[in-house]
Amino acid sequence: MLQGQVAIITGGSVGIGRATALCLMQLGATVVVVSRNPQRIEQTQDWLRQQVPGAEVLGLALDVSNEADMLQMVDKTQQRFGRIDVLIAAAGILRAGKGELLTVAQMSSAEWDEVLDINLKGTYLSNHAVLPVMMKQGSGQIINVSSTSGRKGYAFDSAYCASKFAVIGMSESLAEEVRPLGIRVQVLLPGVIDTPIWRQNGPIPKPADVLPVERVAKLLSYMVRIPSDAVCLEMVIEPLRVRDKPAWLGRSQAVSEQQIYSWS
C-alpha cells in the first residue's frame, strides 16, 4: 500500500493519468494531478474525491512545457504535503494543432515543436523539477510514460514517435545517474490503449482490440510498488488480441483448432 506517499501525475485529468490517479488514491497515496486545462482539472479533482472519500488530492492547472509551471508544481506540492515520493509523467499529445495527419514534408516546424515540447521537453522539465526534492530525501520514484511508438516509427506520427523514442533514452540515462542516490526511474511503453488521443487519428480506424486505461493504471501502480531493490526495464503493455488467430493455425491438418483449445 502507499499510505503516506505523495504522487504527482502529469496529464492527470484524462486517460491514463486520470485512471492512475484513482488507482494510487485507492492504494492510500496522496495525489497531485496536473493538466493545462483548468476546467478538466477541477472536474477531475471533484471526481476523485467522490470516488475515494476522505483521500487527499490536489489539482493544479499547469503546463508541463513551461519551466516556471513545473517549478510551481513542486513548490505547491511541497507547501501542501511536505514531500514528493512519486512522479508519473503521463502528459502527451499525438499531433499538433487540429490533429491533422501530416507527413514530415507537410509538417511545419511549429507543429513539430508543439509535440516535442509537451511529450519530450515536458517530461524532462517535470523530471528536472522533482529531482532536487527526491535527492534531498534520498528516495523517490519517477515513471515516464513512453509508447510502443518509441520502438517503431509510423507514417504520419513522426513527431510523436521521435518524442517517445527520446523519452526512453532520457529515462535510461537518468536512471543511471540517480540510481546511486536512492531514486528509481522506470519507463512504461503502452501499446494500443483506449484513450481520447484516438480522436486525433481522424480516418484511421481504432483497432478491434484495445486495452482500457485501467489496465495501464494497474500496471503503473504495480511498478510503483515493486520492492526497492528491483526495477522494471522497458515495460510494454499491449492488447492480447484474442480476435486474431495465431499464425500457426491451419498449418497442421492433423489437429483441428477445436482439439487444440479443448480442455478434454
Side-chain angles (χ1 to χ4, degrees), residues 50-118:
Q50 290 171 6
Q51 299 301 308
V52 191
E56 292 236 53
V57 56
L58 172 65
L60 299 175
L62 299 168
D63 183 351
V64 295
S65 67
N66 183 291
E67 185 169 11
D69 276 16
M70 291 297 92
L71 294 174
Q72 189 179 155
M73 173 186 76
V74 168
D75 286 345
K76 288 189 173 183
T77 301
Q78 279 200 289
Q79 287 171 17
R80 178 78 173 267
F81 303 118
R83 60 185 299 111
I84 299 171
D85 299 286
V86 179
L87 168 69
I88 295 178
I93 62 171
L94 180 59
R95 299 189 182 88
K98 297 179 181 178
E100 296 177 275
L101 303 182
L102 300 173
T103 64
V104 172
Q106 296 168 324
M107 188 182 302
S108 69
S109 60
E111 289 164 324
W112 173 273
D113 286 346
E114 184 177 343
V115 177
L116 271 289
D117 278 353
I118 293 173

Side-chain angles (χ1 to χ4, degrees), residues 137-206:
Q137 291 172 176
S139 65
Q141 296 194 64
I142 295 172
I143 302 177
N144 293 323
V145 179
S146 178
S147 167
T148 51
S149 293
R151 284 181 159 182
K152 174 181 170 60
Y154 295 92
F156 307 110
D157 290 352
S158 57
Y160 182 78
C161 292
S163 70
K164 294 303 185 177
F165 268 85
V167 164
I168 294 171
M170 190 204 81
S171 301
E172 291 178 352
S173 295
L174 177 59
E176 288 301 303
E177 293 169 357
V178 299
R179 177 167 44 84
L181 305 175
I183 302 168
R184 180 167 64 195
V185 179
Q186 303 177 94
V187 61
L188 176 65
L189 284 66
V192 184
I193 310 300
D194 190 11
T195 73
I197 206 168
W198 269 101
R199 296 171 192 158
Q200 297 183 14
N201 271 317
I204 300 175
K206 187 187 295 184

